[in-house]
């Protein structure tokens, strides 16, 4: 088992610090190496061109002196340490030193390089009346300069690479020290310390932005954990209340059988059991929405759902206005959208004094279904809170039909699972208008 785990474990890679330094060193080494080679090559070519230019001037002076007779051909035998001179007649060498005898004759005026006795020379030639004058100058100073530059660069480039590696290591180490500090702080945060946050350096750099992002993530985790704790607490309270009622009546019936009317205990049990069933069903629906969202999309008419609710409420003997219902096709889960519509209507019926109105419309590619009532309305500061789970305003809690506080939470969750939303505002009837807003069906958008 341990061997299998070792085989599945990915190979350990070098640290980020080492990879960054290695990459920087490789790039700098290649860049400096290419630059050094280019510098030596360019320097050598420039010095060689300078020597050739000077040699061409000397050649012109020699040719002019021979033609004018101011320089005797015998004088050409004289030679310093750097210059070789040869005068070639059409039939051969007329005046020449031994070393100069080996000099080639360049074609035209273009200089060339040649090696004589193991030494490199720049060779130029010109035509004179006495023949072809060939002049060569040693490239030993140029080669010495190139070698000196090469040695200097061979020392300077590794030192520069070492300096760059040291600087990059220090910079990366300081940067990653902040990352290690942030990692340690995050590692110390557990379920009991979700209020802790990552310290930023206030420099406004990438690490500060990373710390801000992680703090926002911790804010969301803390809010979610707080919401879940409140949800569990509220769910426990809601489920404990009907259980307590049934237990009290059962204990009373056992202690004082004559204190309850016949069938009263069964009615209490049925009523409270139905209430518990509704709470559990709502909780399961919310859990499914949290986990999977909506089901398979199908064409659904919000106006059809509104008309079904009108028929249901009127069958109960309640007067509900549906004059504002207009065609509002959407694509969604019919069962979930019907549940959301019913929750809105039931909520309005609980809070209305006398009048409830339904409406639907498509506007700017959005399909909306709303339910109005003439109740007390929802205060502005509570218009977001009413969609939270197990939240009921004081009026709703004081009434027998106040509900479990999950109906509006289901409405918003269904809406968001379909790419829409649910919100509340004031109604023309004086109470609250709850709106279910969804993306309209494709054919409706293009109409």
């Amino acid at each position: 088992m341990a061997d299998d785990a070792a085989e599945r474990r990915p190979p350990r890679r070098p640290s980020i610090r080492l990879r960054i330094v290695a990459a920087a060193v490789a790039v700098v080494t290649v860049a400096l190496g290419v630059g050094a080679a280019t510098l030596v090559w360019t320097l050598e070519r420039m010095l060689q061109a300078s020597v050739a230019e000077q040699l061409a001037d000397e050649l012109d002076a020699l040719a002019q002196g021979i033609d004018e007779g101011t320089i005797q051909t015998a004088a050409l035998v004289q030679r310093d340490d750097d210059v070789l001179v040869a005068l070639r007649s059409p039939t051969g060498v007329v005046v020449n030193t031994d070393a100069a005898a080996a000099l080639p004759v360049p074609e035209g005026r273009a200089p060339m390089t040649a090696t004589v006795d193991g030494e490199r020379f720049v060779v130029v030639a010109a035509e004179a009346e006495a023949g072809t004058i060939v002049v060569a100058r040693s490239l030993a100073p140029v080669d010495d300069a190139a070698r000196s530059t090469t040695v200097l660069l061979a020392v300077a480039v590794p030192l520069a690479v070492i300096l760059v590696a040291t600087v990059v290591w220090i910079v990366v180490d300081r940067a990653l020290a902040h990352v290690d500090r942030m990692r340690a702080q995050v590692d110390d945060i557990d379920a009991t310390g979700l209020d802790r946050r990552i310290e930023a350096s206030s420099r406004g750099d990438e690490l500060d932005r990373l710390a801000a992002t992680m703090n926002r993530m911790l804010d969301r985790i803390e809010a979610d954990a707080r919401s879940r704790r409140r949800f569990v607490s509220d769910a426990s309270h809601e489920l404990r209340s009907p259980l307590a009622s049934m237990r009290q009546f059962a204990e009373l019936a056992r202690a004082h059988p004559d204190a309850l009317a016949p069938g009263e205990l069964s009615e209490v049990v049925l009523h409270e059991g139905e209430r518990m069933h509704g709470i559990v069903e709502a909780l399961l629906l919310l859990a499914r929405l949290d986990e999977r969202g909506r089901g398979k999309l199908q064409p659904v008419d919000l106006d059809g759902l509104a008309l079904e609710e009108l028929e249901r409420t009127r069958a109960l003997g309640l007067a509900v206005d549906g004059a504002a219902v207009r065609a509002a096709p959407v694509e969604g889960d019919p069962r979930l959208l019907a549940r959301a519509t019913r929750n809105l209507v039931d909520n309005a019926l609980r809070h209305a004094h006398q009048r409830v109105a339904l409406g639907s419309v498509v506007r700017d590619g959005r399909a909306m279904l709303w339910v109005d009532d003439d109740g007390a309305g929802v205060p502005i500061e509570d218009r977001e809170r009413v969609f939270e789970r197990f939240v009921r305003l004081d009026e709703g809690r004081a009434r027998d039909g106040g509900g479990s506080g999950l109906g509006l939470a289901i409405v918003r969750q269904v809406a968001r699972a379909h790419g829409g939303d649910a919100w509340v505002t004031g109604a023309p009837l004086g109470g609250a208008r709850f709106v279910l807003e969804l993306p309209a069906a494709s054919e409706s958008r293009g109409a």
Side-chain angles (χ1 to χ4, degrees):
M1 185 68 69
D3 293 339
D4 294 341
E7 292 178 359
R8 291 193 298 268
R9 188 182 303 115
R12 184 178 180 85
R13 300 186 62 188
S15 66
I16 294 178
R17 182 185 293 103
L18 185 59
R19 294 204 300 270
I20 293 176
V21 173
V25 167
V27 171
V28 171
T29 301
V30 172
L32 291 180
V34 173
T38 303
L39 176 61
V40 172
W41 182 85
T42 303
L43 176 64
E44 186 176 5
R45 293 299 178 273
M46 290 177 61
L47 292 176
Q48 185 172 320
S50 177
V51 171
E53 185 178 353
Q54 294 176 3
L55 197 59
D57 294 339
E58 294 181 11
L59 176 63
D60 291 339
L62 283 174
Q64 184 178 359
I66 291 175
D67 291 341
E68 293 176 354
T70 59
I71 298 177
Q72 300 299 319
T73 57
L76 297 178
V77 179
Q78 298 177 356
R79 170 189 173 235
D80 59 23
D81 294 336
D82 296 326
V83 180
L84 298 177
V85 180
L87 177 61
R88 294 177 180 273
S89 67
T91 60
V93 176
V94 177
V95 178
N96 198 55
T97 64
D98 293 338
L103 290 175
V105 180
E107 296 180 2
R109 299 279 298 181
M112 65 176 293
T113 60
T115 301
V116 178
D117 295 336
E119 186 176 353
R120 292 197 316 132
F121 288 83
V122 174
V123 183
V124 293
E127 295 293 335
E129 293 181 358
T132 302
I133 302 175
V134 181
V135 181
R137 182 179 292 275
S138 174
L139 288 177
V142 174
D143 294 338
D144 291 341
R147 280 193 296 270
S148 299
T149 304
T150 301
V151 172
L152 179 62
L153 291 175
V155 175
V157 168
L159 291 177
V161 171
I162 294 173
L163 178 62
V164 170
T166 303
V167 172
V168 172
W169 180 277
I170 294 174
V171 172
V172 173
D173 186 71
R174 293 184 60 183
L176 293 181
H178 295 293
V179 176
D180 288 337
R181 176 179 53 82
M182 294 166 56
R183 180 193 58 78
Q185 291 177 354
V186 173
D187 195 47
D188 288 339
I189 297 175
D190 54 16
T192 61
L194 292 178
D195 57 334
R196 299 171 59 184
R197 294 296 179 266
I198 307 302
E199 296 179 5
S201 61
S202 302
R203 290 192 298 265
D205 56 10
E206 289 80 359
L207 292 178
D208 278 354
R209 292 196 289 273
L210 175 61
T213 300
M214 297 179 70
N215 286 335
R216 288 193 295 270
M217 178 189 67
L218 290 172
D219 289 339
R220 293 191 295 270
I221 293 175
E222 182 185 13
D224 183 67
R226 188 166 51 246
S227 175
R228 289 180 181 276
R229 287 195 296 267
R230 185 174 63 248
F231 177 78
V232 172
S233 176
D234 291 340
S236 300
H237 172 76
E238 294 293 336
L239 292 173
R240 186 167 57 245
S241 179
L243 285 174
S245 297
M246 287 189 289
R247 181 175 179 177
Q248 290 174 359
F249 273 86
E251 291 177 349
L252 179 61
R254 185 176 62 179
H256 306 283
D258 298 334
L260 296 177
E264 185 175 357
L265 177 59
S266 60
E267 291 180 3
V268 170
V269 171
L270 289 174
H271 175 74
E272 297 298 338
E274 183 178 356
R275 181 182 172 188
M276 288 182 62
H277 175 75
I279 295 173
V280 173
E281 186 181 43
L283 290 173
L284 291 175
L285 177 57
L286 286 171
R288 286 196 298 270
L289 289 172
D290 289 339
E291 182 179 357
R292 296 192 299 270
R294 68 193 181 198
K296 185 178 179 180
L297 294 181
Q298 300 179 27
V300 180
D301 293 325
L302 292 183
D303 52 305
L305 298 179
L307 293 175
E308 290 178 4
E309 288 302 310
L310 283 174
E311 295 179 0
R312 181 179 70 90
T313 53
R314 287 171 179 172
L316 298 175
L318 303 174
V320 180
D321 183 8
V325 175
R326 300 288 185 272
V330 297
E331 293 181 353
D333 188 323
R335 181 179 57 84
L336 292 178
L337 294 177
R339 176 65 180 270
T341 304
R342 173 161 295 190
N343 287 356
L344 289 180
V345 174
D346 289 343
N347 178 74
L349 292 175
R350 281 197 301 270
H351 295 86
H353 296 314
Q354 293 180 339
R355 302 174 60 193
V356 172
L358 277 73
S360 60
V361 73
V362 174
R363 185 179 299 118
D364 298 329
R366 308 292 289 182
M368 291 183 286
L369 182 149
W370 65 85
V371 182
D372 296 344
D373 64 67
D374 61 349
V378 180
I380 295 177
E381 62 272 15
D382 292 326
R383 289 181 178 176
E384 279 297 312
R385 198 168 65 89
V386 294
F387 289 99
E388 297 179 7
R389 299 175 185 184
F390 291 113
V391 169
R392 292 176 294 176
L393 303 184
D394 292 340
E395 179 197 4
R397 288 186 180 275
R399 301 175 61 169
D400 292 339
S404 64
L406 293 173
L408 294 179
I410 291 175
V411 172
R412 171 163 282 185
Q413 198 74 3
V414 169
R416 291 182 173 176
H418 287 78
D421 205 351
W423 40 276
V424 59
T425 185
L429 298 181
R433 166 174 286 186
F434 284 85
V435 182
L436 175 65
E437 181 180 357
L438 303 172
S442 302
E443 60 272 13
S444 177
R445 297 179 191 179

